[in-house]
Amino acid sequence: MSSTLGAGVKKNWRVRICVIFNPTAKGEKAKRFRRHLDTIAAECALKQTLAPGGARSLASEAVNEGFETIVAAGGDGESL
């Protein structure tokens, strides 16, 4: 969604979203979630954790990159 402000200046109202997830999560819920990630991949940034505790640094990185919304999605108990 966008809007045109005075003098032809275009403002983009889209919120920048980053989803941090555990790519090795197991189980049926994790499989369904991965299918959902495929459908939203074009609308947000996806960051995969690489090791236990890795979500913290990815969240910090996302904040530094200017993401307004950060979603932590695991499946195996990893927490920020």
Side-chain angles (χ1 to χ4, degrees):
M1 178 188 329
S2 64
S3 174
T4 302
L5 303 175
V9 177
K10 197 168 190 177
K11 171 70 176 169
N12 186 357
W13 296 103
R14 186 178 215 163
V15 175
R16 293 188 64 222
I17 300 170
C18 177
V19 177
I20 299 169
F21 69 99
N22 177 352
T24 62
K26 305 273 189 279
E28 204 50 45
K29 283 184 179 180
K31 288 178 188 175
R32 282 195 310 270
F33 178 69
R34 289 302 299 263
R35 287 192 298 269
H36 289 296
L37 283 180
D38 292 340
T39 63
I40 66 169
E43 302 297 321
C44 61
L46 302 176
K47 293 183 181 279
Q48 297 182 18
T49 58
L50 300 176
R56 280 188 189 93
S57 61
L58 292 174
S60 179
E61 181 180 287
V63 168
N64 291 334
E65 292 172 353
F67 286 95
E68 291 116 348
T69 301
I70 300 169
V71 179
D76 67 349
E78 180 179 354
S79 64
L80 292 174

